Amino acid sequence: MNEKTLPLLPESASNLSPQIDALMMAELGFSVFFSILIFVLVTVFAIKFRRKSDYDVTPHIHGSLILELGWSLLPFAMILGFFVWGTTVYFKAYAIQPNDAMEIFVTGKQWMWKVQHPEGPREINELHVPVGRALKFTMISEDVIHSYYIPAFRLKRDVLPGRYTTMYVTPTKVGKFHLFCAEYCGTQHSGMIGTVYVQEQSDYEKWVAGGDESMSARGEALFGQYGCVTCHLPDGKGRGPSLVGVYNSNVKLQGGNLVKADDAYLRESILNPRAKVVDTYQSIMPTFQGQISEEGLLQIIAYIKSLEKEEGGQQ
Ligand code: CUA
């Protein structure tokens, strides 16, 4: 609980915090040590090797291979050490998905943060999460570049228009924490802030139970509303391919290439159906660009994902 942190640092409330703080302090210590060393040596040498009289002759100094190699390779190895250390932490935050990660869907827009939980609750400028549970954030922007930043988690990533970005973290402390937008995004950028509530599991479950329809139920409604259901028949006999079990599977495209049907692929196929047409199907699907909000797209993807779990292909 009472970890010692510099008063300069924000509260430490995630699995990443101690790792990132340690890395930062090590880099800071490294920089300070070598800065002082260089300053001291410059001063000492300036005094020691100064011109002492008008008749001073500059001595002839021979190079030393060992010295040259030493001060090249040693710092190189040290910096490489920092690179490996930093990359390890970076991958943990941005690339390696924990096994049982709970999904959170963030949509940024001028000037608010909208969050959807798969179970149903939606919130604006707030985020409720349980303590001790690995989280996966999938984020996208409706307009310009924003950046989702929770200092107490030491977690920040740009939220881009037109592309999903992801990040992973496990909150380790119950409490209320700041949420910021960390990328200048217009007049109200400074007001694009919010609060993160890290709750005990039981409190979180109570909170979730207060939500309404699940994301996939909303997605199913949109699937009907936009007429997707008329072509994407579950038995595969429609004008479009069946979407049952398609999520995260390898889809064969016209021309023979395989593509993984992940969030990004599904989003692209809704907005720009001609980009990657499934093998043996015609490119007849109209674009839905500009018709469905990013939140809606996430809901439709959640629905398509839910079709995976149901064996035997019902709708
Ligand atoms: Cu959104 Cu700054």
Side-chain angles (χ1 to χ4, degrees):
M1 284 266 103
N2 275 325
E3 303 131 86
K4 283 263 175 246
T5 47
L6 270 184
L8 291 171
L9 293 175
E11 207 172 341
S12 167
S14 86
N15 63 325
L16 295 174
S17 311
Q19 298 175 38
I20 287 174
D21 291 352
L23 177 64
M24 205 203 74
M25 294 319 285
E27 283 177 350
L28 191 64
F30 184 85
S31 309
V32 168
F33 174 79
F34 280 100
S35 302
I36 291 175
L37 184 70
I38 288 165
F39 273 100
V40 167
L41 288 180
V42 165
T43 313
V44 167
F45 289 162
I47 295 168
K48 190 171 174 203
F49 297 111
R50 74 187 189 280
R51 196 178 189 211
K52 287 166 191 113
S53 72
D54 288 348
Y55 309 105
D56 240 3
V57 180
T58 307
H60 193 79
I61 297 168
H62 294 275
S64 158
L65 185 65
I66 290 185
L67 212 57
E68 295 276 357
L69 285 177
W71 71 45
S72 302
L73 295 181
L74 228 60
F76 177 66
M78 289 177 191
I79 297 295
L80 209 61
F82 275 117
F83 170 73
V84 172
W85 186 357
T87 308
T88 312
V89 181
Y90 179 92
F91 270 60
K92 207 167 274 181
Y94 300 124
I96 304 167
Q97 182 169 346
N99 284 329
D100 56 340
M102 194 181 99
E103 295 210 85
I104 306 278
F105 297 91
V106 175
T107 314
K109 61 179 282 190
Q110 288 168 323
W111 285 274
M112 64 180 79
W113 293 112
K114 294 178 166 186
V115 169
Q116 304 188 84
H117 297 254
E119 301 89 344
R122 295 192 289 176
E123 41 191 341
I124 291 178
N125 293 342
E126 289 191 351
L127 172 68
H128 287 74
V129 286
V131 70
R133 180 83 194 270
L135 306 174
K136 174 189 182 186
F137 289 85
T138 301
M139 312 185 292
I140 194 158
S141 167
E142 293 267 11
D143 36 51
V144 299
I145 300 177
H146 304 277
S147 187
Y148 202 71
Y149 179 33
I150 306 170
F153 290 1
R154 308 291 188 274
L155 188 70
K156 171 163 72 179
R157 188 155 215 192
D158 280 6
V159 177
L160 308 171
R163 192 197 313 173
Y164 293 122
T165 51
T166 51
M167 58 185 184
Y168 311 95
V169 75
T170 306
T172 52
K173 199 174 186 178
V174 171
K176 260 171 77 175
F177 306 101
H178 287 295
L179 164 67
F180 294 112
C181 177
E183 180 69 49
Y184 181 69
C185 55
T187 319
Q188 303 288 326
H189 158 70
S190 63
M192 197 167 163
I193 56 176
T195 310
V196 179
Y197 297 89
V198 179
Q199 302 175 296
E200 295 291 354
Q201 182 70 34
S202 56
D203 293 338
Y204 175 75
E205 275 160 20
K206 255 178 250 161
W207 180 83
V208 162
D212 37 14
E213 267 184 313
S214 70
M215 273 179 82
S216 61
R218 285 175 198 279
E220 186 173 6
L222 291 173
F223 202 74
Q225 186 186 326
Y226 286 98
C228 320
V229 69
T230 54
C231 292
H232 293 283
L233 302 178
D235 60 4
K237 292 190 181 127
R239 278 172 291 173
S242 161
L243 300 178
V244 175
V246 79
Y247 189 79
N248 262 349
S249 70
N250 286 313
V251 174
K252 193 174 172 200
L253 303 179
Q254 284 182 3
N257 286 341
L258 286 177
V259 65
K260 192 173 179 199
D262 56 9
D263 296 355
Y265 167 79
L266 294 173
R267 182 178 175 280
E268 181 188 51
S269 295
I270 298 167
L271 299 180
N272 184 13
R274 276 153 206 262
K276 299 193 176 85
V277 180
V278 176
D279 195 31
T280 74
Y281 286 90
Q282 303 260 314
S283 176
I284 51 169
M285 178 171 156
T287 172
F288 289 86
Q289 188 90 50
Q291 297 180 51
I292 311 176
S293 69
E294 291 295 348
E295 282 187 295
L297 290 167
L298 286 166
Q299 290 160 2
I300 293 174
I301 293 169
Y303 171 61
I304 294 172
K305 198 170 175 180
S306 76
L307 295 174
E308 169 191 46
K309 291 167 193 157
E310 296 161 30
E311 293 287 309
Q314 52 131 337
Q315 43 211 319

